[in-house]
Amino acid sequence: MNLTNAEIGKEYIIQSIDTQDDELNSFLFTLGCYSGQTITVLANKKNGIVISIKDSRYNIDLNLANLISII
């Protein structure tokens, strides 16, 4: 399952980030978005998803949300 299918307010664990872009992986790592980290979807917007990682909030677009697999 990926972030676009996540329930709002429920805590999930990032299983993997399915991208081959090293720069994007590095950027997400600096945000704390990596395998094994907990993540919560706070809101679904028309053009993105608001997530919480390590007590910080981020708005990511739907394309990126589709790349993040959760369990």
Side-chain angles (χ1 to χ4, degrees):
M1 177 167 68
N2 60 34
L3 278 181
T4 57
N5 305 110
E7 273 184 52
I8 295 174
K10 187 174 178 186
E11 193 172 272
Y12 295 93
I13 297 174
I14 298 172
Q15 184 176 19
S16 66
I17 300 172
D18 303 319
T19 179
Q20 302 301 321
D21 186 345
D22 290 337
E23 188 174 318
L24 180 58
N25 281 332
S26 178
F27 172 72
L28 291 172
F29 187 81
T30 62
L31 298 181
C33 186
Y34 50 85
S35 296
Q37 183 61 41
T38 58
I39 188 170
T40 305
V41 174
L42 301 176
N44 284 323
K45 304 287 183 178
K46 183 186 291 186
N47 58 353
I49 295 177
V50 180
I51 59 171
S52 173
I53 302 174
K54 293 187 174 183
D55 297 325
S56 296
R57 293 180 181 199
Y58 304 103
N59 186 29
I60 60 172
D61 69 6
L62 295 175
N63 292 330
L64 182 54
N66 279 320
L67 298 176
I68 300 173
S69 299
I70 55 173
I71 52 174

